[in-house]
Amino acid sequence: MMPSLDAIPPAIRRAACAFHEAGHIVVGWHHGRAITHAWLRPPHGVSGETCFAPYHRGFQPDRAGDRRRAEVEITILSAGHCGEMIYWNEGPGLKWYPGELHSHADDLAQMQPFIALLQPPEAGLLRARCTRAATAILYQPAMRQAHAAIAGRLRDASRIGADEVEAMMAGVAGAQRAPPER
């Protein structure tokens, strides 16, 4: 039987949240999105938020580049759940895995405008493709290292900013950004 969420020690839930937010950060960084900051909410840091610099222009469904950006945004939003699952599937998280996560609901809600813009025949297939893309990025050895380092810093400090993320990503051998979109 899986433990209820309330039975999981706050330190374990905080670490899982840090891995969730670090997933958004690493996949966003990989895709060239500029992070402004991420933080774990008080008092225990069992929920958090990652903020990226806003785009300078909106999305238009008739522009191929905007359609690609929308899919990248869905991938970045999927990366939180993927990053959190890395935590729950190994180390101290494995003992406490609750069996079902509800930490992804706000990410799913934020995906809706991008899904509406793309109008896929099956939204579930699009989300699954984006989840696989996020997972593939996070499981690259250099990205795994960066993900763990950023999650650790976020867990310990409750907040991380753009300069710190850039320094941490630059310090990881092999961490590379995708080519810029044209």
Side-chain angles (χ1 to χ4, degrees), residues 63-83:
R63 289 190 219 150
D66 287 354
R67 294 179 63 77
R68 174 71 185 128
R69 282 192 308 150
E71 190 164 324
V72 164
E73 288 302 308
I74 296 168
T75 301
I76 294 168
L77 287 162
S78 299
H81 183 261
C82 300

Side-chain angles (χ1 to χ4, degrees), residues 19-180:
F19 270 80
H20 180 109
E21 299 308 325
H24 293 307
I25 292 167
V26 169
V27 173
W29 180 89
H30 171 80
H31 283 290
R33 292 289 278 125
I35 181 177
T36 59
H37 66 284
W39 62 297
L40 303 182
R41 293 183 182 103
H44 301 294
V46 298
S47 69
E49 183 176 3
T50 298
C51 298
F52 292 93
Y55 283 109
H56 296 291
R57 63 179 172 78
F59 290 76
Q60 299 297 319
D62 58 333
R63 289 190 219 150
D66 287 354
R67 294 179 63 77
R68 174 71 185 128
R69 282 192 308 150
E71 190 164 324
V72 164
E73 288 302 308
I74 296 168
T75 301
I76 294 168
L77 287 162
S78 299
H81 183 261
C82 300
E84 187 173 347
M85 287 308 301
I86 288 171
Y87 176 78
W88 289 119
N89 283 313
E90 43 189 63
L94 187 59
K95 173 185 173 186
W96 294 101
Y97 177 57
E100 184 178 0
L101 299 178
H102 301 286
S103 60
H104 196 50
D106 60 333
D107 295 332
L108 290 170
Q110 290 178 53
M111 288 178 195
Q112 292 313 306
F114 300 112
I115 292 170
L117 178 118
L118 294 171
Q119 298 180 352
E122 175 56 52
L125 293 176
L126 172 62
R127 285 192 314 271
R129 182 173 67 241
C130 292
T131 296
R132 284 190 307 275
T135 301
I137 293 164
L138 290 172
Y139 271 95
Q140 294 171 17
M143 297 306 204
R144 289 276 315 248
Q145 182 182 353
H147 181 234
I150 289 169
R153 176 68 180 143
L154 190 53
R155 179 198 63 226
D156 295 344
S158 296
R159 183 179 175 86
I160 193 167
D163 292 341
E164 196 169 8
V165 167
E166 286 298 325
M168 292 176 90
M169 293 305 295
V172 176
Q176 295 180 355
R177 283 190 160 135

